[in-house]
C-alpha cells in the first residue's frame, strides 16, 4: 500500500490544481492591476460569483467602496515583494452581503523572480466573529442583569446591548395579567427610532389568538425564529396589508422571539429584529437569545423575589412600628400619674399594675412583685356586688360601665375609687381596669351633704319654736273666740308647714345623693296608711277624696317614706286640680305586689314632660308659674319607690288630669 | 334665766304635773314652756343635761322632754343614764330631734316617745297627756 501511495506522488499542474480547487479557503489570484486571474470553488461559494463570470474582472468588484484604498495599498506592497499576513477585513458578495473574512495575500513570482500578481487565501469568519460578539454580548448582558434589582431598568439596558451586538432593534414584553402584556423595554440601533419603534408596536398589539408572534411564544413557551423574512412570507402574514407595508418600511429581514421563562412559566418574551441582510439570525443566534432570555428571567425572578421580601419586610416593619407606637401609647397611659391601671384575671390574679395604683392601695412594687397583694381582700365585702356586676357586663359587652367602690388599703383604711374596665382577652378573663381616686370628690360631696344636713338642722330649730309660738297663739285666740285672727294664724301655720316640707325635701335629696336614704323596714297595712294620709289632708282642702280598695295589703317597707310618697301624690293632686273636684285613691294588688294610685281631674301633664317629671329638680314648665316649687318632691318619691324595688309611673293627658301610680313588692328584700 | 335652778327644786316635788324640758335652744325652751303652762302644767327648763345628776326622790319631774342634740352632750346618753339610775328609771322621757332618723335609736336607748322637730303642738300634748293627766 505504502509503495503504491509513494508511486502516485507526481507533482503535476493537475496535482496543484486539485489542492487549490478543493481547499476550504477561497483562493483567487489577480494581476498587479487587480484583474482576477483565478477563482476556486470555495471562492465561488464565498462570494457567489462563478469563476467563469468573475475571471477577467477587477478585484474591486468584491471590495466595499470604503476599502478600495486598502486594496491599493496591499497591491503596492505585493509589487514590492512583500507578503500580507492574515488579517480581518470585509468583502462584498454577489448578492451585496458584506462578508467578514480573514485573508492572507502573497505575491506570485515568475520564473525570473519578478512579481507578476497576487494570490489571496480568504475564509469566511462571519460565524467566528458573531460568536465572539455574541459571547461578548452575553458577558456584558450578564453583568448588566446582575447589576440592579430594578428589572425594568435592567431589561432596558439588555435591549440596548442587544441592539449594539445582535439586532437592530429589540423589544421586551412582560405579562401583566393572563393574555395581557406590557412593553417594558424597546431599543433601536438608531436612538432616534426608539419612539418610532414604540409606535410600530402600538400598530401591532400583541395577540394571543394567532399562531405566531409574541403572544404565541408566551402561550407555548417556545422560541420562534424567522431567519429571513421574504415578501412571500409577508403575503401570508395573517394581519392586514397596511401592516405588511409597515414591515417593509421597517426593513424586517430576520426576526426571533424567545420566551422569558420564570419558574417553568413563560412570563414574557424578547423580540429581536434585524433589518440587515448581512445579519440574519440563525439557530446559533437563537440559542444565544435563549440564553439571554434565561438570564433575564433569572434577573426578573430575583428582582421579584427581592421586591416581595422587601415588601414583606417593609410590611413587617410597618406593623412593628405601629405596634411600637401603640405600645408606646399604652406605656404612657400606663405610666399615668393620675389614673391607676391594673391588668389582671378576674378574681384570680393581678398581672400588671402602675405605680399610681400601687400608691392608691398603699402597697409597694416590692409587695406586688413578691405576690404580697391580697387580691381577695382588696375589695371590702360591701362592694363585691359591684365587682360581680361589672364582670358580668365585661363578659357580655367587653366593657363595663363605670362604677364606684372602695379599696381596702394596706393600712386598713378605705379609699373611694371610680372604676372602668375593658376585657382584653375573654378566653383568659384578662381585664384592663382604670382606677381613679375620688377621695377628694367624695370628701367634697360629704362636706356638701354635711352642710345641707347642718343647714337643714339649723333651719329647723327656729322653725320649731315658730311652730310652737304660732300654734300657741292660735290656741289663745281660739280661747278668746277671736276667729278672724285665729284664721290668720292658721294661714301662718300652713306656710310654716310648707317651709318644713321644703327643708325636709332638701335634706332627703342630699341623703339620696349621698346614698344615705335609710329605710326603716316594718310590716304595715298600706290601706291604713292610705286612709290616715287621706284623712290628714282632707281637712286642708275642698277636694273630695275617695279611696277605692277591696283587700288589705300588708307591706314590708318604710312606712313613713311610703306615707311621704302618698302625701306627695295627694298634695300634687290638690295643687294641680281645681277645688271641689274629685281625687280618686286606689289600692290594688296581688300576692306579690301592691299598687297605690292617685288620680286627679285637673290640668294634666304634657307627654313631653311626663318622662322628665321624676328627674331631680325638674318642675313642669320652669317658666310657668302655675307649677311652683323646687321639683324635689317627685324625685324623692321616685327614689323612695326605687329603694323599695318598685316602679313609679304617671298616666296623664293635658287638660284631663293625671294618674300617679306606684307599685312595690309586698316583701322588700 | 331658763336654766334649771337648784334653789327652785323645792317647788318641784310638791307638783305631780311638773315637766322638765331640756333643749340647748332657749327659744324652743321658752315656746314649749309657754305652751305647757297654758295647758296648766308646771314647767322647768334646762339648756344642758347637768341638772339631771341632781335629780332625786325630792324633785322628780313627771315627764322629761329631752332634745337629742345638746351642745356638748348627746340626749340619748342622758336617757340611758336616767334609765340606769334607780330614782329616775321610771320617769317617762319624750325625746325630740330635728333628725327624724334618730327615732329608732332614741327609743332603743330609753325614750318612751319620739317627736321630730318641728312638731305639731297637738302631737306633743297628746304624748304628754299619756303620762301626765291634764290639770283640771
Amino acid at each position: 500500500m505504502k509503495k503504491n501511495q509513494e508511486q502516485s506522488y507526481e507533482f503535476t499542474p493537475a496535482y496543484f490544481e486539485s489542492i487549490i480547487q478543493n481547499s476550504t479557503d477561497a483562493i483567487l489570484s489577480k494581476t498587479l492591476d487587480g484583474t482576477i486571474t483565478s477563482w476556486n470553488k470555495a471562492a465561488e461559494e464565498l462570494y457567489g460569483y462563478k469563476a467563469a463570470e468573475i475571471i477577467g474582472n477587477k478585484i474591486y468588484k468584491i471590495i466595499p467602496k470604503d476599502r478600495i484604498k486598502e486594496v491599493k495599498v496591499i497591491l503596492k506592497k505585493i509589487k514590492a515583494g512583500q507578503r500580507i499576513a492574515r488579517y480581518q477585513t470585509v468583502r462584498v458578495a454577489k448578492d451585496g452581503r458584506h462578508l467578514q473574512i480573514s485573508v492572507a495575500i502573497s505575491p506570485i513570482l515568475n520564473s525570473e523572480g519578478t512579481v507578476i500578481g497576487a494570490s489571496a487565501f480568504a475564509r469566511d469568519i462571519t460565524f467566528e466573529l458573531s460568536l465572539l460578539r455574541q459571547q461578548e454580548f452575553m458577558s456584558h448582558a450578564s453583568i448588566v442583569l446582575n447589576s440592579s434589582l430594578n428589572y425594568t431598568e435592567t431589561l432596558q439596558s439588555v435591549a440596548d446591548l442587544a441592539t449594539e451586538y445582535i439586532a437592530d432593534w429589540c423589544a421586551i414584553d412582560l405579562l401583566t395579567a393572563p393574555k395581557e402584556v406590557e412593553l417594558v423595554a424597546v431599543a433601536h440601533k438608531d436612538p432616534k427610532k426608539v419612539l418610532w419603534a414604540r409606535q410600530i408596536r402600538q400598530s401591532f398589539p400583541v395577540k394571543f389568538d394567532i399562531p405566531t408572534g409574541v403572544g404565541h411564544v408566551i402561550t407555548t413557551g417556545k422560541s420562534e425564529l424567522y431567519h429571513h423574512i421574504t415578501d412571500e412570507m409577508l403575503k401570508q402574514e395573517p394581519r392586514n396589508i397596511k401592516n405588511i407595508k409597515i414591515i417593509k418600511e421597517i426593513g424586517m429581514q430576520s426576526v426571533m422571539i424567545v420566551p422569558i421563562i420564570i419558574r417553568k412559566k413563560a412570563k414574557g418574551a424578547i423580540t429581536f429584529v434585524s433589518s440587515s441582510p448581512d445579519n440574519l439570525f440563525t439557530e446559533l443566534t437563537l440559542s444565544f437569545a435563549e440564553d439571554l432570555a434565561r438570564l433575564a428571567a433569572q434577573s426578573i425572578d430575583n428582582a421579584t423575589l427581592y421586591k416581595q421580601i422587601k415588601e414583606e419586610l417593609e410590611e413587617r416593619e410597618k406593623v412593628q412600628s405601629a405596634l411600637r407606637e401603640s405600645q408606646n401609647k399604652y406605656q404612657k397611659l400606663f405610666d399615668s400619674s393620675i389614673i391607676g391601671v391594673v391588668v389582671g384575671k378576674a378574681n384570680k390574679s393581678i398581672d400588671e399594675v402602675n405605680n399610681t395604683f400601687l400608691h392608691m392601695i398603699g402597697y409597694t412594687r416590692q409587695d406586688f412583685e413578691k405576690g404580697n397583694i391580697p387580691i381577695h381582700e382588696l375589695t371590702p365585702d360591701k362592694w363585691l356586688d359591684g365587682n360581680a356586676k361589672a364582670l358580668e357586663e365585661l363578659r357580655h359587652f367587653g366593657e363595663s360601665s363605670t362604677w364606684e367602690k372602695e379599696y381596702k388599703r394596706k393600712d386598713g383604711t378605705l379609699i373611694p375609687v371610680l372604676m372602668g374596665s375593658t376585657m382584653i382577652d375573654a378566653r383568659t378573663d384578662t381585664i384592663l381596669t382604670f382606677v381613679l381616686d375620688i377621695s377628694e370628690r367624695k370628701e367634697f360631696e360629704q362636706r356638701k351633704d354635711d352642710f345641707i344636713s347642718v343647714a337643714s338642722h339649723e333651719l329647723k330649730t327656729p322653725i320649731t319654736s315658730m311652730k310652737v309660738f304660732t300654734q300657741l297663739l292660735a290656741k289663745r285666740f281660739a280661747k278668746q273666740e277671736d276667729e278672724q285672727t285665729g284664721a290668720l294664724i292658721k294661714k301662718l301655720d300652713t306656710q310654716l308647714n310648707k317651709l318644713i316640707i321644703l327643708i325636709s325635701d332638701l335634706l332627703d335629696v342630699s341623703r339620696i345623693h349621698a346614698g344615705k336614704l335609710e329605710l326603716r323596714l316594718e310590716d304595715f297595712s298600706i290601706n291604713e296608711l292610705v286612709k290616715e294620709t287621706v284623712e290628714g289632708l282632707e281637712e286642708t282642702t275642698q277636694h273630695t277624696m275617695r279611696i277605692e280598695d277591696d283587700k288589705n295589703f300588708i307591706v314590708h317597707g318604710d312606712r313613713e317614706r311610703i306615707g311621704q310618697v302618698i302625701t306627695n301624690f295627694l298634695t300634687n293632686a290638690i295643687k294641680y286640680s281645681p277645688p271641689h273636684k274629685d281625687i280618686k285613691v286606689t289600692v290594688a294588688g296581688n300576692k306579690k305586689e301592691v299598687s297605690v294610685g292617685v288620680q286627679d281631674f285637673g290640668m294634666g301633664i304634657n307627654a313631653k314632660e311626663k318622662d322628665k317629671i321624676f328627674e331631680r329638680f325638674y318642675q313642669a314648665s320652669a317658666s310657668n308659674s302655675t307649677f311652683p316649687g323646687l321639683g324635689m318632691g317627685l324625685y324623692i318619691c321616685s327614689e323612695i319607690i326605687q329603694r323599695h324595688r318598685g316602679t313609679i309611673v304617671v298616666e296623664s293627658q293635658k287638660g284631663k288630669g293625671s294618674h300617679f301610680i306606684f307599685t312595690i313588692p309586698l316583701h322588700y328584700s | 334665766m331658763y336654766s334649771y335652778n337648784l334653789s327652785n327644786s323645792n317647788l318641784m316635788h310638791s307638783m305631780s304635773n311638773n315637766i322638765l324640758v331640756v333643749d340647748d335652744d332657749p327659744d324652743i325652751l321658752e315656746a314649749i314652756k309657754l305652751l305647757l303652762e297654758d295647758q296648766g302644767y308646771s314647767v322647768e327648763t334646762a339648756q344642758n343635761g347637768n341638772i339631771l345628776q341632781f335629780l332625786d326622790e325630792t324633785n322628780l319631774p313627771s315627764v322629761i322632754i329631752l332634745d337629742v342634740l345638746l351642745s356638748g352632750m348627746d340626749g340619748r346618753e342622758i336617757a340611758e343614764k336616767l334609765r340606769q339610775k334607780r330614782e329616775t328609771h321610771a320617769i317617762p322621757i319624750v325625746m325630740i330631734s330635728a333628725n327624724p332618723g334618730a327615732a329608732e335609736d332614741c327609743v332603743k336607748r330609753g325614750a318612751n316617745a319620739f317627736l321630730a322637730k318641728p312638731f305639731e303642738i297637738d302631737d306633743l300634748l297628746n304624748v304628754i297627756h299619756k303620762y301626765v293627766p291634764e290639770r283640771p
Side-chain angles (χ1 to χ4, degrees), chain A residues 456-457 460-469 471-472 475-476 479 493 497 500 507 511 520-521 560, chain B residues 25 27-28 30-32 34-35 38-39 69 97-101 103-104 117-122 125:
Chain A
S456 310
H457 189 270
K460 276 180 180 176
T461 304
I463 282 171
T464 303
S465 45
M466 275 169 78
K467 240 341 239 186
V468 178
F469 283 128
Q471 293 186 10
L472 189 56
K475 277 190 189 292
R476 285 192 179 180
K479 227 179 237 175
D493 190 48
N497 283 341
I500 290 164
L507 199 57
R511 282 201 189 102
R520 286 191 298 276
L521 303 175
E560 204 172 312
Chain B
D25 186 85
D27 298 320
I28 288 178
E30 189 190 1
I32 294 176
L34 282 173
L35 168 74
D38 264 17
Q39 298 297 309
L69 202 63
S97 171
N99 174 18
E104 212 171 322
K117 285 182 187 175
F119 43 78
E120 297 292 324
I121 56 168
D122 285 344
L125 293 177

Side-chain angles (χ1 to χ4, degrees), chain B residues 34-133:
Chain B
L34 282 173
L35 168 74
L36 294 177
E37 280 174 352
D38 264 17
Q39 298 297 309
Y41 295 107
S42 146
V43 179
E44 288 300 330
T45 61
Q47 273 187 270
N48 59 52
N50 292 337
I51 147 221
L52 296 163
Q53 55 189 299
F54 301 107
L55 290 178
D56 56 37
E57 281 96 346
T58 62
N59 55 7
L60 290 181
S62 308
V63 171
I64 299 172
I65 297 172
L66 181 58
D67 186 24
V68 172
L69 202 63
L70 294 165
S71 34
M73 219 181 268
D74 188 327
R76 286 168 291 198
E77 280 173 28
I78 297 171
E80 271 176 339
K81 280 181 187 158
L82 286 171
R83 284 284 171 261
Q84 283 158 12
K85 244 173 111 177
R86 190 183 49 82
E87 296 89 344
T88 56
H89 83 278
I91 304 175
I93 303 170
V94 177
M95 295 199 74
I96 54 175
S97 171
N99 174 18
E104 212 171 322
D105 196 36
C106 287
V107 172
K108 210 162 76 185
R109 291 166 76 174
N112 297 73
F114 177 88
L115 283 175
K117 285 182 187 175
F119 43 78
E120 297 292 324
I121 56 168
D122 285 344
D123 291 342
L124 179 65
L125 293 177
N126 285 341
V127 170
I128 303 244
H129 291 164
K130 271 203 216 167
Y131 306 110
V132 194

Side-chain angles (χ1 to χ4, degrees), chain A residues 22 85 254 258 273 349 357 372 387 457 479 487-488 562 602 610 646 657:
Chain A
N22 291 308
S254 188
V258 293
V273 176
S349 63
F357 179 73
N372 286 345
N387 275 10
H457 189 270
K479 227 179 237 175
L488 288 176
I562 297 291
K610 237 167 66 179

Side-chain angles (χ1 to χ4, degrees), chain A residues 44-64:
Chain A
E44 285 183 342
E45 276 166 28
L46 180 61
Y47 300 113
Y49 293 102
K50 290 283 172 200
E53 61 178 309
I54 194 80
I55 289 174
N57 284 295
K58 292 281 188 210
I59 190 71
Y60 299 112
K61 206 152 187 173
I62 59 163
I63 307 296

